[in-house]
Amino acid sequence: MSFIEAKDLVHEYIMRDEEGNVEGVQVALDHLDLNVEQGQFIAVLGHNGSGKSTFAKHLNALLMPSEGTLYVGGMDVSDENLTYDIRQTAGMVFQNPDNQIIASVVQEDVGFGPENIGTPTEEIWERVEKSLRAVGMWAYREHSPNRLSGGQKQRVAIAGVMAMEPKCIILDEPTAMLDPDGRKEVLAAVHELNKTKGVTIILITHYMEEVVDADYVYVMDKGKVVMEGNPTGIFSQVETLKEHHLDVPQITMLAHELKQEGLPLRDGILTREELIQEIDRICH
Amino acid sequence: MSLILDNISHIYSRGDAYEKKALDGVSLKIEDGEFIGIIGHTGSGKSTLIQHLNGLLKATEGSIYFNGQDIYDKDYDLRDLRMQVGMVFQYPEHQLFDETVFKDVCFGPRNQGLPEKDVTLRAYEALKNVGLDEKYYDVSPFELSGGQKRRAAIAGVVAMKPQVLVLDEPTAGLDPQGRDEILDMIAENHQRYGNTVILVSHSMEDVAKYVDRIIVMDDGQVRFDGEPKVVFRHYKELEEIGLAAPQVTYLMHDLKNAGYPVSCDATTVDEAKNEIMKMLGRR
């Protein structure tokens, strides 16, 4: 069994009027099938309203499936007895760091999670140190979170999830509110956790550049998986991505347009190095 | 007709332990009809700066002149300034409040004291300009999707026909298509009305594509001010202050360093494409 296994997953938002009568049903997930292996770095793309966040909220049992099944770490998310275990297995980081930080000192914020689950004090401090070091924020442990930059706050939020020692972290547009440096910091921290700690990462993003280094990419539209593959394969299909209201990294776009001008470039160029290699090849 | 900032400084929490100089001697001249991008890392003073433009914050030192008048004059009508300098804040859809989209957009022009007929016309025009379909006019703004809400909220400011339109990260959180649509819409309206547009953004690619002039803020000061290609020539200095150049600009530098005879001034996909085709002798 895969670490995450969604089969025929359906989620319907039911809208009711003031008397509680059903006014309408909106299908947010429509028989979604998706598998993630432990230790993978997965990116999920899709336009606003494609069902990405609804799916993410199922992964740690914030929402329950209307139909179908979802297993996380072998646990059925529909089983309410397992909700807390699931949340410890799959931690969540949201878009706005200001909504996720609650303590007035960085290290206390990171310690809040383990403290809540009754971790012995000594171990809390060990976890706080490990987590803050993992995201490069140990030097700021005694700072007030509200004096930090957006990227730093978001890394503290990630450390707070890390301190729960989850096997998997889901990040729902963690860089949407950050400047270029903040985006880089957060991405680097997440890749580091994936590589050195083997944490499974599910990154939901609208920035195509952030997807280039993922192991595998899922593209969602209308509550379904409509494309999947490695980044090179996904970004080779510029026109299909546009149909799903998405984009490609700027370098990929440039390569695509050069190709349309008649240059014999290969498909799926993602980085500057790859494009230069191709130009070298044409010129020599 | 212009907006002039003369040696503006702003100090938050003056006199206590949290005292912070957010703006430090900023001087700028913004001419009518310019399309300007403001970039800078978080905490560089961008938001503080734009809140001075319509008098929401008062400078600790320095003067601001709008169309030749000192806005800190005690006779100056700040209310009038706020009608002329329209501000679209981050996540403006959080400010939607009325029962229907149409009523919400009417709020601004009605507050300007326009006759009811003009208010209605303004609201129609603004909603049309932001590209929101007529079928949404009578629904609650809370039933719209994220991108549609954003449009409705921007329409609320556009309906006041401000001479200067300031937008603080208008595309944050939108998907790529939503991002392009909002920015295309802003650029089209700029073309149509010749209004001044000031766009605060974290996306170097967006700024390069749309604006004529970039102002780079760092530590409360203006570090660079000029055309995109001129500003992005300083990509190394930009990196030092937490920013970057567009990806294609880096590519042009890489090509040049690899010995190809290219100019490094390209800041958009089109410019880079043309430069590379020219170099390969295919144009």
Side-chain angles (χ1 to χ4, degrees), chain A residues 93 97 100-101 109 152-162:
Chain A
V93 176
Q100 303 171 72
I101 292 179
D109 191 80
Q152 291 170 332
K153 278 187 213 170
Q154 200 60 299
R155 284 190 285 156
V156 171
I158 294 172
V161 173
M162 273 301 288

Side-chain angles (χ1 to χ4, degrees), chain B residues 196-242:
Chain B
T196 309
V197 178
I198 300 175
L199 176 72
V200 176
S201 177
H202 279 326
S203 165
M204 305 302 132
E205 284 77 15
D206 288 347
V207 168
K209 186 169 166 195
Y210 289 96
V211 311
D212 309 318
R213 172 181 169 194
I214 296 177
I215 294 169
V216 181
M217 294 296 296
D218 176 42
D219 207 10
Q221 296 179 335
V222 175
R223 277 290 288 270
F224 299 103
D225 181 353
E227 277 180 84
K229 68 175 183 199
V230 177
V231 168
F232 287 129
R233 274 178 204 155
H234 301 279
Y235 69 102
K236 286 201 174 118
E237 289 111 307
L238 290 174
E239 282 172 11
E240 280 163 21
I241 57 173

Side-chain angles (χ1 to χ4, degrees), chain A residues 48 95 179 245 261 280, chain B residues 42 91 175 177 179 260 283:
Chain A
N48 293 117
Q95 187 180 110
D179 59 28
H245 300 195
E261 293 283 329
D280 281 343
Chain B
T42 315
Y91 295 87
D175 60 46
Q177 185 176 329
R179 221 182 284 167
Y260 290 99
R283 271 276 149 87

Side-chain angles (χ1 to χ4, degrees), chain B residues 255-272:
Chain B
L255 280 173
K256 189 165 191 177
N257 293 337
Y260 290 99
V262 289
S263 141
C264 297
D265 281 349
T267 58
T268 66
V269 169
D270 269 352
E271 288 166 10

Side-chain angles (χ1 to χ4, degrees), chain A residues 46-49 52 95-96 144 146-151 173 176-184 206-209 242-247 250-251 253-255 257-258 261-264 271-273 275-276 279-284, chain B residues 13 18 20 40-43 46 90-91 145-147 169 172-180 202-205 239 241-244 246-252 254-255 258 260 267-270 272-274 276-277 279-280 282-283:
Chain A
H47 62 81
N48 293 117
K52 305 179 304 286
Q95 187 180 110
N96 188 344
S144 159
N146 61 27
R147 304 256 130 201
L148 301 177
S149 75
E173 292 188 50
M177 302 180 77
L178 307 182
D179 59 28
D181 242 22
R183 284 209 294 265
K184 257 189 257 164
H206 284 322
Y207 290 105
M208 302 301 137
E209 279 78 9
K242 294 245 158 190
E243 281 165 28
H244 296 300
H245 300 195
L246 296 174
D247 209 352
Q250 205 182 23
I251 294 297
M253 195 64 216
L254 176 61
E257 297 217 341
L258 286 170
E261 293 283 329
L263 292 191
T271 63
R272 277 143 53 191
E273 292 75 25
L275 181 51
I276 289 177
I279 290 176
D280 281 343
R281 189 176 58 79
I282 291 171
C283 291
H284 298 296
Chain B
S13 313
Y18 292 116
K20 182 172 171 19
H41 62 86
T42 315
K46 305 184 301 286
Q90 271 183 38
Y91 295 87
S145 76
E169 289 191 62
L174 296 185
D175 60 46
Q177 185 176 329
R179 221 182 284 167
D180 290 350
H202 279 326
S203 165
M204 305 302 132
E205 284 77 15
E239 282 172 11
I241 57 173
L243 299 172
Q247 284 295 314
V248 294
T249 308
Y250 285 103
L251 176 82
M252 300 316 283
D254 290 348
L255 280 173
Y260 290 99
T267 58
T268 66
V269 169
D270 269 352
K273 179 180 77 178
N274 292 337
I276 291 172
M277 294 309 283
M279 167 192 90
L280 295 172
R282 303 211 181 198
R283 271 276 149 87

Side-chain angles (χ1 to χ4, degrees), chain A residues 24-242:
Chain A
V25 176
Q26 195 194 347
V27 181
L29 295 179
D30 186 8
H31 301 278
L32 177 93
D33 291 314
L34 188 156
N35 289 319
V36 178
E37 302 302 330
Q38 180 128 31
Q40 276 192 313
F41 192 116
I42 301 290
V44 181
L45 298 175
H47 62 81
N48 293 117
S50 60
K52 305 179 304 286
S53 296
T54 301
F55 173 62
K57 285 178 187 151
H58 280 74
L59 291 173
N60 72 346
L62 286 174
L63 289 176
M64 295 286 173
S66 308
E67 282 173 41
T69 55
L70 173 64
Y71 285 88
V72 176
M75 292 177 281
D76 182 353
V77 296
S78 303
D79 185 346
E80 288 182 26
N81 297 319
L82 296 174
T83 297
Y84 284 97
D85 296 323
I86 289 166
R87 290 194 185 144
Q88 273 183 53
T89 305
M92 188 94 139
V93 176
F94 296 96
Q95 187 180 110
N96 188 344
D98 290 323
N99 296 345
Q100 303 171 72
I101 292 179
I102 39 122
S104 54
V105 180
V106 165
Q107 58 187 1
E108 285 173 13
D109 191 80
V110 176
F112 180 79
E115 192 181 1
N116 255 350
I117 53 170
T119 311
T121 311
E122 219 166 281
E123 196 190 328
I124 294 178
W125 288 115
E126 280 167 24
R127 288 193 189 191
V128 166
E129 177 167 355
K130 250 195 335 206
S131 313
L132 280 172
R133 285 192 190 280
V135 298
M137 287 298 290
W138 177 241
Y140 293 87
R141 62 191 175 277
E142 287 173 0
H143 282 232
S144 159
N146 61 27
R147 304 256 130 201
L148 301 177
S149 75
Q152 291 170 332
K153 278 187 213 170
Q154 200 60 299
R155 284 190 285 156
V156 171
I158 294 172
V161 173
M162 273 301 288
M164 301 292 280
E165 304 191 333
K167 292 200 180 84
C168 168
I169 299 182
I170 303 128
L171 302 106
D172 193 356
E173 292 188 50
T175 59
M177 302 180 77
L178 307 182
D179 59 28
D181 242 22
R183 284 209 294 265
K184 257 189 257 164
E185 284 168 19
V186 168
L187 257 278
V190 173
H191 275 287
E192 186 69 18
L193 293 181
N194 177 249
K195 273 194 208 103
T196 60
K197 316 264 170 190
V199 181
T200 307
I201 301 289
I202 313 239
L203 173 70
I204 297 174
T205 182
H206 284 322
Y207 290 105
M208 302 301 137
E209 279 78 9
E210 296 179 353
V211 177
V212 170
D213 297 320
D215 296 322
Y216 205 74
V217 182
Y218 285 100
V219 178
M220 287 181 63
D221 198 356
K222 301 200 178 89
K224 287 190 175 97
V225 171
V226 289
M227 296 168 79
E228 60 179 286
N230 62 15
T232 311
I234 294 288
F235 289 130
S236 299
Q237 305 169 56
V238 178
E239 302 304 332
T240 318
L241 282 167
K242 294 245 158 190

